[in-house]
Amino acid sequence: MTAVRTALVTGAASGLGALAARRLAAAGWDVAAADLDADGLAATARRSPNTHVRVCDVADAEAVNALVSEVGAVHRVVHAAAVGPMVPALEQPLPDVEHVLRTDFLGTVHVVRATLPGMLERGRGELVLFSSLAALLPVPKTSAYAAAKAAVNAYAEAVAAEHAGSGVVIRCVCPRQVDTPGFRAAASADPAATGRMRGVPPGLVLDAVDRSLAARPAHDLYVLPDPLTRAVARARRWLPGPTARLVGRVTLSR
Amino acid sequence: MPPDAASDAAPDAAPDAIPEVAPAPAAHLIQGDRVTLPVEIRDAAVASAMFPIPAAAAQAVIAYSGLEVARPLAGRAICSLAFVRYADGDLGPYHEFAVAFLVKGTPRIGAFIHWLPVNQAFTLEAGRAIWGFPKEMADIHMDLAARTKRCLVRVDGRTAIEMHVRPGFPVPSGRGVPSVDAYTSMNGVTRRTPWTVSPSGVRMRLGGGTYLRLGDHPVAHELRALGLDHARALSAATVDRLRMTFQEAVEARP
């Protein structure tokens, strides 16, 4: 048997995180699966002797540090934990805005600060941070979420630049809507706000991450997983005004 | 026979006809956990290929089962090789490699499972105890994210089999759920397991498209004797998402 590698997966109770944890467990990794939802974690780890569950709020820096020191040397981090309520900016209570920023942005900061030093010490590691296409192209009702994810992108770019050539590979994954329980709930509650779009299957997003880790150069930070995501990101870059107006029209409920 | 007597009947009292209804729901205790039947697989990814082989030699390989190989192609038998990543299913997450031969004796497709290495202990014990699947512990590396799917099976640090499957053409997923009978033979007992498969995201190709290298393992030596080292496949297929059910095994009397 080859040496067993350890992965830390946040948001592992459902959606992208759950599938990432299961695929890594299937491949024989030792998986530390973290989330706030204990029942969801138990479902992810069912009959998987190499998956270990930890209830942890990524918004709590001390909890994340404790988790990482318990898990030990982590070779790959898949940070998928996030919240994304769909609310118009002025109707979103301030504590909710803070909660989104604390979980999505500071959660990422906490995970990076807890795991990156060990990776740098070992001279290798893979840090996969889930962001969103919303970071590049905010749409109505995603103000706090899109702001938090834009902050994740900026943070990831700066951290990656600081540690270029270190042997640690950082990926910032910016998918469009992913077909997860969270997206389905949002889409059924407010079909217009999600543009009546079908989410991209989470397996395809994870395939794109795997391909990027296997074949792309270390400095290639961003992963835009599917053709539509890439097209929108490109249009946003070259035709920012018309793209924003088009996407705004598609996603604004009337 | 009254319906409730059917499940209690001794195997030798069963009629020759294959019962349409599976025996009453049963449960097996595996590593302290109750596994109820049918076992369901909700998300698996597969790459597979079929190879024409000399029928007499194939018959000699599976003689221990008492079954007879099917000879669909001008007297030649078929060996089917497949690798599977189980992401979400009742036996937990794991990787598997299957060596099977098409056999006669059932109105459905009959596949005799000759070797079934897996990389996780729970499914190993469950597969052997519940159905007599010839599961053996192995290191199974897979790349299912790239266009060409790759698998490397190593047992005790030595390569047993390496297979690559190049992408084929998309095939519409049929509405019908194909029924297959999986045959096993362990400790002199040959058993038949009703098995349903429901694939989506299927790609197929005829003739070639695979790479097969046989290494150093008793089963690899058997396959080499059948002419399979670097053999050209009759057909190959990949499945993005496969759902399956496995019923209780019944003793088969060929």
Side-chain angles (χ1 to χ4, degrees), chain B residues 6-203:
Chain B
S7 57
D8 296 326
D12 52 351
D16 282 328
I18 289 159
E20 286 308 306
V21 182
H28 297 260
L29 201 61
I30 306 296
Q31 300 195 344
D33 198 352
R34 236 173 126 255
V35 177
T36 52
L37 294 170
V39 156
E40 277 184 44
I41 307 299
R42 291 167 289 276
D43 183 3
V46 186
S48 65
M50 298 216 269
F51 298 87
I53 47 171
Q59 184 60 51
V61 169
I62 73 157
Y64 68 97
S65 67
L67 297 166
E68 196 183 333
V69 291
R71 292 172 169 82
L73 295 164
R76 285 171 79 76
I78 300 283
C79 179
S80 169
L81 303 180
F83 49 96
V84 189
R85 176 183 60 204
Y86 293 82
D88 184 8
D90 291 347
L91 303 181
Y94 62 102
H95 286 178
E96 177 180 274
F97 192 95
V99 175
F101 297 90
L102 298 193
V103 292
K104 289 180 184 170
T106 165
R108 310 198 270 196
I109 300 165
F112 174 69
I113 313 296
H114 180 56
W115 190 45
L116 200 61
V118 294
N119 70 340
Q120 298 288 339
F122 188 90
T123 186
L124 178 101
E125 189 182 325
R128 295 182 74 93
I130 301 174
W131 303 280
F133 280 129
K135 291 190 176 180
E136 178 186 358
M137 202 55 124
D139 237 350
I140 308 180
H141 291 265
M142 281 185 203
D143 179 2
L144 290 165
R147 279 174 58 75
T148 295
K149 316 299 180 197
R150 291 179 165 83
C151 179
L152 174 66
V153 181
R154 300 172 83 221
V155 178
D156 297 328
R158 298 205 295 219
T159 296
I161 293 188
E162 181 175 3
M163 185 160 95
H164 304 175
V165 177
R166 283 201 286 276
F169 298 99
V171 176
S173 308
R175 291 198 175 264
V177 176
S179 291
V180 188
D181 279 325
Y183 287 90
T184 59
S185 183
M186 185 175 277
N187 304 329
V189 182
T190 296
R191 291 191 275 190
R192 180 180 59 81
T193 298
W195 171 24
T196 61
V197 292
S198 168
S200 64
V202 183
R203 286 173 169 269

Side-chain angles (χ1 to χ4, degrees), chain A residues 16 128-137 145 149-150 152-154 156-157 171-178 200 205 208-209 221-226 228-230 232-233:
Chain A
L16 273 167
V128 179
L129 307 174
F130 273 93
S131 181
S132 166
L133 182 60
L136 308 174
L137 180 59
Y145 175 75
K149 292 298 195 182
V152 166
N153 286 20
E157 277 197 34
R171 293 291 184 254
C172 182
V173 192
C174 300
R176 66 178 181 91
Q177 305 96 321
V178 181
V200 53
V205 177
V209 172
L221 177 67
Y222 287 107
V223 179
L224 302 169
D226 73 315
L228 183 54
T229 301
R230 285 192 289 276
V232 173

Side-chain angles (χ1 to χ4, degrees), chain A residues 3 23 26 28 31 38 54 78 81 93 104 133 160 178 180 198 203 208 233:
Chain A
R23 283 186 174 190
V31 179
R54 304 279 197 288
V78 179
D104 295 0
L133 182 60
V178 181
T180 61
R198 287 260 296 271

